[in-house]
Amino acid sequence: MKILPDYEHMEYRDVYTCLLHRYRHILGLWQPDIGPYGGLLNVVVDGFFIIGWMYLPPHDPHVDDPMRFKPLFRIHLMERKSATVECMYGHRGPHNGHIQIMKKDEFSTKCNQTDHHRMSGGRQEEFRTWLREEWGRTLEDIFHEHMQELILMKFIYTSQYDNCLTYRRIYLPPSHPDDLIRPGLFKGTYGSHGLEIVMLSFHGKHARGTKITGDPNIPAGQQTVEIDLRYRIQLPDVESLRDFSELSRIVLEVGEQVRQEQQQEGGPEDSEGEPRPGPVQPHAEPPAEQGREPGDGGALAAAEQPVQSGQGQPFVLPVGVSSRNEDYPRTCRMCFYGTGLIAGHGFTSPERTPGVFVLFDEDRFGFIWLELKSFSLYSRIQATFRNADSPSPQAFEEMLKNIQSLTS
């Protein structure tokens, strides 16, 4: 500290008392309240600063590229006994800001000089700059009219906040030795909405993908996919897999079995507290069905085959299934029955529809949306986040319920 001119009169006790201790509750991962769009903020100690970094997915559709990030605010000691909060939003350097810690798991930021966010070329220049940063292209490069409308809508909606935001704490999902793969944060392709951040977590016999960033159809906080780990799907050979109707038949046959078993058990099953299925045998009969022989249907029998650990099988998307990224893996480890959440604009008429969860490797998975005839590819976010572990499994479950209720 003594060799830095700005800190030559500082004492470490002042740094600890006025900076580190005072703002200790905002370290970690947070989700901003930006309507349906959400976001991922990581607040860290960096030297003698506390900095809030907004993590952004790579440009669509390059899902395997590293995350991008930009600073939204920083806190440091400009003089003894007093910490200074600066807004980093915009392109004119740090300026005066304010942070209010409402409670342990919630805080808000405010910019006191929003004129620093404006550009000399007005809103048009601000939009062009935002578009280059957010999408890596110009509006002229985007020929799809619906996509242009979605992009313009997002700019208008998000820019009105001027970095005056409320943040709520999020935790990384707890892991268990029996998890299919390591849970965590992934980037995924969502058609015209671009890349979004999804949290994969495991809950007994099910796995869930929860949106950390979202869109006007399925907002942040909602459960985008749910995978039933009891029902493995054995894909047909590559030539048969190219036929969408064949894949659809297999999946719907398994889905009908799931529906019938849920009815026999008196409704959708709550997986909380259930024994966890291991990756070696992810399909286990529900208690009411123990001892029942599977039917003669090929799909049902295939769904119950044990997983061959480490054995890959050829994979190709059926003809007619659209994908933002054609560079998807051509072999997969295993597949499971799942459902995906779809809805109209404004999260109207939401419904869960059948699909296929495709596990490629430890860091990549996919989901085939049957009704949409669409494929989403997900790639793990390779970043280390400190102060982000959940204090308990119950706290993690409560966090998921809280972020979902905000946009329900």
Side-chain angles (χ1 to χ4, degrees), residues 125-345:
E125 183 184 0
E126 292 168 18
F127 175 62
R128 287 195 299 269
T129 303
W130 175 87
L131 189 59
R132 283 197 304 271
E133 293 176 349
E134 186 85 4
W135 291 85
R137 61 182 80 175
T138 66
L139 200 61
E140 291 74 25
D141 298 331
I142 302 169
F143 300 108
H144 197 291
E145 186 175 344
H146 178 57
M147 193 172 184
Q148 290 181 349
E149 293 173 352
L150 290 172
I151 290 172
L152 185 58
M153 184 188 312
K154 184 174 183 179
F155 170 74
I156 293 172
Y157 192 98
T158 57
S159 62
Q160 67 182 338
Y161 285 89
D162 263 337
N163 208 24
C164 299
L165 297 167
T166 297
Y167 296 89
R168 294 176 178 84
R169 183 180 295 280
I170 58 175
Y171 297 116
L172 293 177
S175 61
H176 189 277
D178 288 341
D179 290 338
L180 193 65
I181 59 173
R182 180 166 52 93
L185 295 171
F186 291 76
K187 333 152 233 164
T189 56
Y190 280 89
S192 297
H193 297 294
L195 300 188
E196 299 183 8
I197 301 173
V198 169
M199 178 182 289
L200 179 69
S201 56
F202 292 90
H203 310 260
K205 298 174 183 177
H206 295 80
R208 296 174 188 162
T210 302
K211 281 195 172 187
I212 303 303
T213 63
D215 54 69
N217 289 77
I218 307 297
Q222 294 299 316
Q223 186 180 314
T224 175
V225 294
E226 177 168 351
I227 305 98
D228 195 325
L229 298 173
R230 300 170 302 168
Y231 296 94
R232 186 189 175 204
I233 292 178
Q234 184 70 33
L235 296 179
D237 60 79
V238 172
E239 287 308 311
S240 299
L241 184 56
R242 295 182 190 276
D243 183 357
F244 178 79
S245 61
E246 175 63 13
L247 177 65
S248 181
R249 181 191 66 80
I250 293 174
V251 176
L252 294 178
E253 193 175 339
V254 177
E256 179 61 20
Q257 182 188 5
V258 174
R259 187 188 66 81
Q260 290 177 2
E261 291 180 352
Q262 286 180 346
Q263 284 184 341
Q264 292 172 4
E265 294 168 4
E269 186 175 340
D270 182 1
S271 64
E272 302 304 328
E274 295 288 346
R276 304 176 66 91
V280 176
Q281 190 175 3
H283 174 72
E285 294 284 351
E289 298 294 300
Q290 290 292 349
R292 182 183 62 79
E293 291 298 321
D296 293 331
L300 302 188
E304 297 180 5
Q305 291 182 358
V307 173
Q308 300 297 320
S309 179
Q311 180 179 348
Q313 61 185 110
F315 176 81
V316 65
L317 285 177
V319 175
V321 173
S322 63
S323 173
R324 295 290 293 176
N325 193 332
E326 294 298 327
D327 189 24
Y328 59 86
R330 292 311 196 264
T331 59
C332 67
R333 288 185 186 175
M334 59 192 84
C335 300
F336 295 93
Y337 175 79
T339 58
L341 185 62
I342 64 174
H345 188 87

